[in-house]
DNA sequence: CTGAAAGCGCTTACAG
DNA sequence: CTGAAAGCGCTTACAG
């Protein structure tokens, strides 16, 4: 039944001790070139790979990264997942995918991550309590917020520069001659939604312009219904700044349904620049989140913390750029 | 540093042996109610959870399911991922997410799965060699193909009934008066693409109709370019049967670009019924893959095989249904 | 039903 | 640089 090859088998074939086999595979230890070669040859012949569990039992560490996502309906997140999977694979790490159904990371999810002694945790579109943060800190498990941040920087987070992005979007729309605008937010308790409104609001105020805010939920259907509501209120704004692309698609479809022409009658700007934004049906003007860079920075910090835990907190913000298409 | 509570600590507090603690938590062993209560109370007090690695080292099993996906650009797969994550979470299993960049599962991916001694493996949009199949069989790791199947049934697979689906689609289009049709396939080596053509072809032949096949790649951009090519050839068919929804969107966008009206001039039928298919811009007639049922059947078989490995092979096919919308 | 003990396959001081 | 040995935290025959 237990037909696995273990370090002892390799040692016997190579004519060295089991410790030496371990040293060759664990790395960081000094082994003579001769021993290394013998071990590697024997391992190759037998098809040996170290048992991850025995290894983890000793080191109390795994080569698993916990990736927490709240949902994958917004295509932005599958794209993020893909990039993380690729980046960590190159580094020899695997992804434990944790889907949480609530806004806040649940106790059971945390227990899973803790049970598997993940090397680190990345949380994308969910929030977490102080207690949870403390749990990870206590276990010296690096924790990163991706595309979310918290005000008091006791966590490391990686976002695009949402404030600067929304300022530039506001300036862009003003320059296009828009005066009465609408901001459609995602869930109001998300840092992204808050910051995107903040920068937008700042610039409008400076230009003595006002705007109306409508709360939505970062989903297509949410954007669609919110836009319909606005249209039915009878007061079409000169531009919609929508907190993410997928909602912006909903807005465009609602406008289309009422034959309200874009960009002549009203304009629409999204956020994310997901793949679909460039599809001909939408061809949406939007803000590009530099996913690859964001992922790189996240991975870089993660590896450094795995190497030597510091718990250093910082809000990293990466510049994106406006992608101008046909909706403005 | 090692601040974890272990079974010994619990045993001491409960006043029993470490073996008894283990028996309470592992289950299946007979423990007196009195002992069980004492142990559970002590564990609760100390916040004990068994160390998964020590457990796995002994049992050679984990509570991890390997989920292999080739890409997540097609929204069908994130949806599948979500459903699997939820289903397995309820059963106390976690998901190791393996992204493979090639059509065929790579050696390194297999090694990862084997190294972590996953309890089972689900492969979605990738193929695998006979050698890999054998590797899993040798280790008695249940392996399931999801939305793919192989001809010689040495594997367990779960699909929708693609043959029946495409037959019904053909009949539906014939009934609508379509005569010269086009089938746009995904990658030609995928079972889904082959079977969807087969059923379609069968029914057309029976009705003495012919069709043209164009090979594409299951991507939006692939569908878009293929449709453009067809349009440029100057011979617009009366209907397009497109092997998945996301390609169908590309087809619709190309038709729109050339102002070819749907469904009056030509009709389009997709496959999958992903969320976006019901969006007003597309409102695509398509075949609904019963994801939930497919996931349920997969999970059911997986759990049975984890309980007691049989290696039983079967091609399970689940009936879907035609969703009629505005493109036909 | 319960406890003492062996053992899973590793890493890592400790001597040499 | 290398080997013998302890120990990580469990499960599981084995006795009682």
């Amino acid at each position: 039944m237990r037909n696995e090859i273990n370090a002892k088998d390799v040692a016997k074939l190579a004519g060295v001790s089991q410790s030496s086999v371990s040293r060759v595979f664990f790395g960081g230890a000094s082994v003579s070139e001769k021993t290394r070669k013998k071990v590697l040859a024997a391992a190759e012949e037998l098809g040996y790979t170290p048992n991850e569990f025995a290894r983890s039992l000793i080191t109390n560490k795994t080569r698993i990264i916990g990736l927490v996502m709240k949902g994958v309906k917004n295509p932005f997140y599958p794209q993020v997942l893909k990039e993380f999977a690729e980046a960590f694979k190159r580094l020899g790490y695997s992804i434990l995918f944790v889907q949480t159904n609530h806004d806040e990371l649940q106790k059971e999810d945390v227990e899973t991550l803790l049970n598997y002694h993940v090397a680190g945790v990345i949380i994308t579109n969910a929030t977490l309590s102080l207690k949870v943060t403390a749990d990870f800190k206590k276990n010296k498990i690096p924790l990163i917020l991706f595309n979310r941040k918290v005000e008091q920087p006791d966590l490391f987070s990686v976002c695009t520069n949402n404030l600067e992005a929304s300022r530039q979007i506001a300036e862009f729309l003003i320059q296009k001659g828009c005066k009465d605008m609408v901001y459609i937010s995602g869930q109001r308790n998300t840092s992204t939604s808050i910051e995107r409104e903040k920068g937008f609001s700042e610039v409008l105020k400076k230009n003595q312009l006002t705007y109306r805010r409508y709360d939505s939920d970062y989903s297509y259907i949410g954007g669609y219904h919110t836009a319909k509501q606005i249209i039915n209120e009878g007061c079409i704004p000169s531009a919609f700044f929508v907190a993410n692309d997928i909602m912006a698609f909903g807005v465009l479809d609602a406008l289309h349904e009422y034959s309200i022409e874009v960009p002549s009658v009203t304009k629409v700007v999204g956020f994310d620049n997901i793949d679909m934004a460039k599809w001909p049906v939408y061809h949406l003007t939007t803000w590009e989140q530099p996913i690859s860079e964001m992922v790189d920075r996240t991975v870089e910090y993660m590896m450094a913390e795995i190497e030597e835990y510091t718990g250093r907190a910082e809000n990293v913000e990466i510049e994106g750029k406006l992608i101008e298409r046909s909706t403005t």
Side-chain angles (χ1 to χ4, degrees), chain A:
Chain A
M1 173 73 213
R2 208 173 257 276
N3 46 12
E4 292 278 313
I5 304 298
N6 61 30
K8 219 169 166 182
D9 302 328
V10 176
K12 192 183 282 175
L13 182 62
V16 299
S17 73
Q18 184 262 317
S19 324
S20 288
V21 174
S22 178
R23 284 189 190 99
V24 168
F25 279 90
F26 194 65
S30 42
V31 187
S32 73
E33 204 45 44
K34 204 170 136 192
T35 303
R36 180 182 306 277
K37 273 194 181 137
K38 280 194 293 188
V39 168
L40 256 20
E44 173 70 34
E45 191 177 330
L46 298 172
Y48 168 76
T49 49
N51 180 310
E52 289 288 339
F53 298 117
R55 183 172 266 187
S56 294
L57 182 56
I58 295 281
T59 61
N60 219 9
K61 278 276 183 241
T62 53
R63 297 175 78 79
I64 299 179
I65 302 291
L67 185 60
V68 180
M69 285 197 172
K70 198 192 117 197
V72 284
K73 281 219 170 176
N74 178 352
F76 178 74
Y77 290 103
Q79 215 163 317
V80 166
L81 170 60
K82 175 179 189 287
E83 299 239 4
F84 273 123
E86 282 174 2
F88 281 116
K89 184 196 255 189
R90 275 194 294 274
L91 294 162
Y93 282 75
S94 300
I95 301 282
L96 192 77
F97 180 80
V98 176
Q99 163 139 328
T100 173
N101 296 312
H102 304 76
D103 281 338
E104 189 164 282
L105 191 58
Q106 299 295 292
K107 195 184 163 208
E108 55 184 299
D109 300 321
V110 176
E111 270 179 10
T112 300
L113 293 165
L114 253 26
N115 275 353
Y116 283 110
H117 289 266
V118 291
V121 174
I122 297 167
I123 297 184
T124 61
N125 44 358
T127 56
L128 69 181
S129 66
L130 281 174
K131 161 133 190 13
V132 167
T133 309
D135 277 351
F136 285 114
K137 280 209 164 139
K138 200 176 68 189
N139 288 283
K140 299 197 176 182
I141 295 176
L143 182 64
I144 307 180
L145 249 42
F146 186 89
N147 201 30
R148 288 288 183 276
K149 74 181 203 188
V150 287
E151 269 317 311
Q152 73 288 24
D154 57 348
L155 282 176
F156 191 90
S157 71
V158 176
C159 293
T160 191
N161 190 335
N162 287 297
L163 221 49
E164 184 54 29
S166 49
R167 281 187 197 126
Q168 287 191 31
I169 288 168
E171 270 158 18
F172 169 76
L173 287 170
I174 290 170
Q175 190 213 311
K176 286 262 176 190
C178 301
K179 296 230 178 322
D180 57 316
M181 308 191 214
V182 154
Y183 171 66
I184 300 183
S185 80
Q187 281 83 354
R188 294 274 354 260
N189 61 344
T190 57
S191 63
T192 44
S193 224
I194 294 168
E195 298 216 311
R196 286 169 199 170
E197 179 175 7
K198 198 170 161 197
F200 187 69
S201 155
E202 258 178 44
V203 172
L204 292 205
K205 190 174 275 175
K206 212 161 48 189
N207 286 268
Q208 279 132 22
L209 292 171
T210 57
Y211 70 100
R212 287 172 282 158
R213 186 190 74 224
Y214 288 83
D215 296 338
S216 194
D217 62 358
Y218 278 141
S219 78
Y220 170 86
I221 205 74
Y224 180 72
H225 285 139
T226 305
K228 273 198 164 177
Q229 183 198 332
I230 296 170
I231 295 165
N232 285 327
E233 284 173 3
C235 183
I236 313 295
S238 54
F240 290 82
F241 171 34
V242 190
N244 75 355
D245 286 352
I246 198 110
M247 279 200 297
F249 298 154
V251 170
L252 285 169
D253 283 354
L255 290 168
H256 186 76
E257 206 173 309
Y258 285 79
S259 302
I260 297 167
E261 280 192 12
V262 177
S264 55
V265 176
T266 187
K267 304 187 194 314
V268 178
V269 176
F271 205 106
D272 284 348
N273 194 29
I274 57 178
D275 273 354
M276 292 171 58
K278 64 168 176 288
W279 289 10
V281 247
Y282 294 120
H283 216 253
L284 176 72
T285 294
T286 187
W287 191 265
E288 177 171 288
Q289 291 221 52
I291 295 188
S292 295
E293 275 178 70
M294 288 165 70
V295 165
D296 286 350
R297 286 297 293 274
T298 306
V299 171
E300 188 186 298
Y301 172 79
M302 181 64 85
M303 286 303 125
E305 287 293 292
I306 288 173
E307 182 74 27
E308 189 179 353
Y309 185 80
T310 66
R312 178 168 68 88
E314 187 188 337
N315 287 327
V316 171
E317 307 210 316
I318 297 173
E319 302 306 323
K321 63 167 185 279
L322 186 73
I323 308 287
E324 213 177 324
R325 295 204 183 90
S326 315
T327 58
T328 51

